[in-house]
C-alpha cells in the first residue's frame, strides 16, 4: 500500500496531525502526494477504507507523543553527557541583582479571555522567587504534571506575593503553546513564543527533559532544579524545596543536589 520510504508510522503521523481521517479533499491529496504516498493509499483514503476511529486517533497521538518524548530525552541526555562534574557553587542564569526581571521584561504574555494577551510585567520587578516552568503540550508527562502545578500555584501564590511562575514553552508552534495554555488554564505569565529564541541559552544549559522546574532568585541564582547533575529529581522536588523556603528556611538551606 505504501511506496518505499513512506512508512505506516508516517501515514499515522499525517492522519493524527492533519486529521486526514476526518476529511479528504484536493488539498489533502496534494499534501499526501508531496509526502510520498502512492495512489493506492490516496484511493483508500478517498473511499474511506483507510480510516481511524476517535479512539484509534487518540491512541496514535499518544504513541507518537511518547516516541517523540523519548527521542527528546535521548538527545538531551547525549548532549549533557560528559566528564563527572566537580562540586561547585549553584550556577546562575544571569548573575546580577534584579537581572531576572530584566531578562523577562517586555517579553511576557498571559491567557486572558480566551486568547493570549500582553502581560503587564511591572509587578514582577519586586519578586524574589521565580519558578521557571519548561513544558510542552506534546509531552504526556508534562500534561500530566501541569494540573498539579496549577493547583499548587492557586493555593500558594495568594499567600506569597514575592513568588511567580513563568512558563517557557517547548511547543512546536505558537498555536501549540496557546492551545496548551488555554486547555490547562494556566494562571501565570509565559514568555512570548516569538521571544523564546532570546532565552534559548537557559533551556540549552539547564533543561534536560520535560517537564522541568527551575527555581531562581532575583539575581538568577538557581536554588533548585528538576534535573541534578546526575539524575532526574522530578518537578515535585523543586516544589518541596520551594515549600521549605516558604516555611522560613533560608534559601541557602535548599542545597544543590547531585
Amino acid at each position: 500500500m505504501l511506496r518505499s520510504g513512506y512508512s505506516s508510522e508516517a501515514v499515522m503521523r499525517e492522519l493524527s496531525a492533519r486529521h486526514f481521517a476526518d476529511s479528504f479533499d484536493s488539498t489533502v491529496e496534494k499534501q499526501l502526494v508531496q509526502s510520498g504516498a502512492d495512489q493506492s493509499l490516496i484511493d483508500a483514503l478517498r473511499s474511506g477504507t483507510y480510516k481511524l476511529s476517535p479512539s484509534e486517533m487518540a491512541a496514535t497521538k499518544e504513541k507518537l507523543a511518547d516516541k517523540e518524548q523519548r527521542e527528546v530525552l535521548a538527545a538531551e541526555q547525549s548532549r549533557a553527557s560528559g566528564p563527572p562534574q566537580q562540586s561547585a557553587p549553584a550556577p546562575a542564569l544571569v548573575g546580577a541583582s534584579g537581572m531576572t526581571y530584566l531578562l523577562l521584561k517586555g517579553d511576557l504574555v498571559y491567557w486572558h479571555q480566551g486568547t493570549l494577551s500582553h502581560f503587564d510585567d511591572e509587578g514582577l520587578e519586586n519578586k524574589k522567587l521565580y519558578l521557571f516552568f519548561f513544558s510542552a503540550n506534546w509531552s504526556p508527562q508534562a500534561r500530566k504534571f501541569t494540573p498539579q502545578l496549577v493547583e499548587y500555584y492557586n493555593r500558594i501564590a495568594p499567600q506569597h506575593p514575592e513568588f511567580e511562575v513563568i512558563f517557557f514553552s517547548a511547543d512546536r508552534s505558537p498555536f501549540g503553546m496557546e492551545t496548551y495554555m488555554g486547555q490547562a488554564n494556566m494562571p501565570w505569565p509565559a514568555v512570548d513564543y516569538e521571544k523564546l529564541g532570546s532565552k534559548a541559552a537557559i533551556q540549552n544549559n539547564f533543561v534536560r527533559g520535560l517537564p522541568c522546574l527551575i527555581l531562581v532568585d532575583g539575581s538568577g541564582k538557581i536554588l533548585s532544579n528538576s534535573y541534578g547533575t546526575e539524575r532526574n529529581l522530578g518537578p515535585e522536588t523543586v516544589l518541596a524545596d520551594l515549600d521549605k523556603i516558604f516555611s522560613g528556611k533560608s534559601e541557602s538551606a535548599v542545597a544543590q543536589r547531585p
Side-chain angles (χ1 to χ4, degrees):
M1 181 172 166
L2 304 177
R3 92 178 178 189
S4 176
Y6 198 83
S7 67
S8 60
E9 180 177 300
V11 173
M12 298 293 271
R13 188 182 300 276
E14 298 291 348
L15 288 170
S16 65
R18 296 195 177 98
H19 304 287
F20 286 163
D22 299 330
S23 62
F24 188 87
D25 54 26
S26 59
T27 300
V28 169
E29 180 174 344
K30 182 178 179 180
Q31 291 174 332
L32 278 172
V33 171
Q34 292 175 341
S35 298
D38 65 11
Q39 191 60 44
S40 61
L41 170 60
I42 294 173
D43 291 341
L45 287 168
R46 183 185 292 114
S47 66
T49 58
Y50 197 111
K51 188 173 182 180
L52 294 179
S53 68
S55 61
E56 289 172 326
M57 183 74 75
T60 296
K61 290 181 178 180
E62 191 75 10
K63 179 180 177 181
L64 292 173
D66 285 338
K67 182 176 184 294
E68 289 170 348
Q69 174 69 353
R70 289 194 299 270
E71 291 172 349
V72 169
L73 288 175
E76 290 170 342
Q77 289 169 358
S78 175
R79 184 175 64 247
S81 64
Q85 299 185 13
Q86 300 297 321
S87 298
L93 299 177
V94 276
S97 178
M99 287 301 292
T100 300
Y101 167 67
L102 293 179
L103 174 73
L104 304 169
K105 185 178 180 181
D107 293 345
L108 300 180
V109 295
Y110 75 120
W111 184 254
H112 178 64
Q113 296 183 348
T115 189
L116 290 184
S117 303
H118 176 73
F119 180 76
D120 183 0
D121 55 35
E122 185 176 349
L124 292 182
E125 188 171 5
N126 297 321
K127 300 291 183 180
K128 297 180 179 179
L129 296 169
Y130 299 81
L131 188 63
F132 292 172
F133 176 42
F134 295 84
S135 188
N137 197 32
W138 53 260
S139 167
Q141 295 89 340
R143 291 198 309 272
K144 182 178 179 180
F145 172 72
T146 304
Q148 180 182 339
L149 184 58
V150 170
E151 186 280 328
Y152 180 90
Y153 181 91
N154 289 334
R155 175 169 50 87
I156 294 297
Q159 306 171 33
H160 295 278
E162 75 277 18
F163 157 72
E164 187 58 87
V165 170
I166 306 294
F167 173 47
F168 288 72
S169 172
D171 290 292
R172 297 185 175 90
S173 69
F175 176 75
M177 171 180 166
E178 183 170 351
T179 299
Y180 185 21
M181 292 184 69
Q183 290 176 344
N185 198 23
M186 293 187 188
W188 47 71
V191 176
D192 189 317
Y193 193 87
E194 302 302 324
K195 302 296 181 63
L196 285 167
S198 64
K199 317 289 190 291
I202 302 174
Q203 183 160 349
N204 292 340
N205 292 327
F206 299 100
V207 178
R208 299 179 185 175
L210 302 178
C212 178
L213 293 180
I214 300 178
L215 178 64
V216 304
D217 65 12
S219 70
K221 177 183 178 183
I222 294 180
L223 306 176
S224 184
N225 187 347
S226 292
Y227 287 82
T229 58
E230 297 179 0
R231 67 185 188 280
N232 178 10
L233 303 172
E236 294 83 1
T237 301
V238 179
L239 296 184
D241 286 343
L242 189 55
D243 283 336
K244 290 177 183 177
I245 294 174
F246 289 149
S247 68
K249 294 183 178 181
S250 67
E251 294 175 2
S252 60
V254 179
Q256 289 291 112
R257 296 180 178 83

